[in-house]
Amino acid sequence: MISSLFLPAAIVVLSAQANAPITSDRKSDEVAEAAAAAPEATPAVLQKSRQLALLVAPIDMIIEANAENTRKSMATMAETDSTLKVLLSTYPGIDEAMYNALIPIVDQALIARHDDLVSRVSAIYVKTFTEAELDKILETYDSDLGRKIVALEYGSVDPMALFDEEDDSGDVPQISEDKAMSELNATSLKIFSGLTLEERRQVIAFNLTPAGQKFSKASMEVARETIDWTNTLVAETAPTTNAAIEQAVIKFIEEFDG
């Protein structure tokens, strides 16, 4: 039986370079220095940070990718989950009934929580970038190339690779940060292969700019924030989705058996 939602966590292309570890002795000083160096949160910076957050986390792509990833996840589970295997062999088409029960609930939850995600991502950009840097980043992401990159991001993630293995505790599966970071770094290679030669040149040129390098580092923080947002949404929605799937299964079996 499917026990949770399958949501895409990929919002941005991650830099392969990990952040340097911060020791406890240095952490407070570096946090203070970072706060002092943070750009001024002018109205223009607030507006452009939100604009960028909406571009990297568009609700239409999130919904579409979630639907596609749910189908991928169910297909994988049909091969590996013994309970689902038995159901499908006995009641062909029951997986579609489960999918149709799940997706409307997930879509509603995604729409309801989307502004929270945008606010979280926007807050990271506000504290990270100057207005001039945001203008440079928006030149790339508010373009056909940027929209193509974001679309490739949502279509390249393997949702089953993000979650910790389920156990017998009955707990709702959560996205593993380690697995997510590994998968999202692999996704960046898939995205690059989906671009034309000229588009790759443009991406490389952007990544070599100071704004592009800062964007890659900020993307690590965005990814972690997105993982937390997704895990919260999954945990909050799981009781409703599980109940809906259970009712759909019961109804399908009753109608199938006549």
Side-chain angles (χ1 to χ4, degrees):
M1 183 67 66
I2 292 178
S3 59
S4 86
L5 314 183
F6 298 96
L7 306 178
I11 294 298
V12 292
V13 181
L14 293 180
S15 165
Q17 178 184 5
N19 290 335
I22 299 175
T23 64
S24 58
D25 293 337
R26 294 165 46 211
K27 187 171 182 181
S28 59
D29 290 340
E30 293 191 4
V31 168
E33 290 175 4
E40 183 182 358
T42 64
V45 167
L46 293 171
Q47 183 271 320
K48 291 176 182 180
S49 293
R50 184 171 178 82
Q51 179 184 354
L52 180 57
L54 286 167
L55 287 169
V56 301
I59 187 59
D60 57 336
M61 288 190 189
I62 292 175
I63 288 174
E64 180 180 353
N66 178 70
E68 293 177 0
N69 285 339
T70 299
R71 286 199 181 279
K72 291 178 184 178
S73 299
M74 293 181 73
T76 299
M77 292 187 71
E79 301 282 336
T80 60
D81 186 277
S82 57
T83 302
L84 188 55
K85 272 186 178 181
V86 171
L87 282 173
L88 286 171
S89 63
T90 309
Y91 301 101
I94 199 169
D95 54 336
E96 190 68 16
M98 297 164 68
Y99 175 88
N100 290 335
L102 174 67
I103 288 300
I105 298 171
V106 178
D107 286 352
Q108 184 178 12
L110 289 170
I111 293 170
R113 291 294 302 274
H114 182 245
D115 190 66
D116 178 50
L117 174 61
V118 171
S119 295
R120 293 188 188 199
V121 175
S122 179
I124 293 171
Y125 295 156
V126 167
K127 72 179 183 181
T128 304
F129 302 114
T130 64
E131 183 180 356
E133 289 168 337
L134 286 166
D135 287 338
K136 185 67 177 178
I137 298 167
L138 286 168
E139 285 179 12
T140 296
Y141 275 83
D142 195 9
S143 68
D144 291 340
L145 173 58
R147 283 181 279 275
K148 182 176 181 179
I149 290 171
V150 173
L152 287 169
E153 288 167 358
Y154 283 101
S156 300
V157 173
D158 175 9
M160 296 298 285
L162 302 177
F163 287 88
D164 281 322
E165 297 295 329
E166 293 188 55
D167 54 34
D168 297 327
S169 67
D171 294 337
V172 177
Q174 298 280 280
I175 289 178
S176 161
E177 182 171 317
D178 289 342
K179 290 184 178 181
M181 291 301 176
S182 176
E183 174 63 16
L184 294 175
N185 278 318
T187 296
S188 67
L189 300 177
K190 298 177 188 176
I191 293 169
F192 204 67
S193 66
L195 301 175
T196 66
L197 181 58
E198 178 57 31
E199 288 169 339
R200 293 178 191 179
R201 288 172 178 159
Q202 293 179 50
V203 170
I204 291 172
F206 168 73
N207 287 340
L208 291 175
T209 66
Q213 292 173 8
K214 285 182 71 174
F215 184 74
S216 292
K217 291 180 180 179
S219 295
M220 299 292 288
E221 187 174 356
V222 168
R224 293 187 179 96
E225 197 67 45
T226 303
I227 291 168
D228 179 71
W229 177 84
T230 304
N231 281 334
T232 299
L233 189 148
V234 169
E236 290 179 350
T237 314
T240 304
T241 56
N242 289 342
I245 291 172
E246 182 178 354
Q247 289 301 313
V249 167
I250 293 172
K251 181 179 179 181
F252 187 93
I253 291 174
E254 289 176 347
E255 293 178 352
F256 190 95
D257 290 339

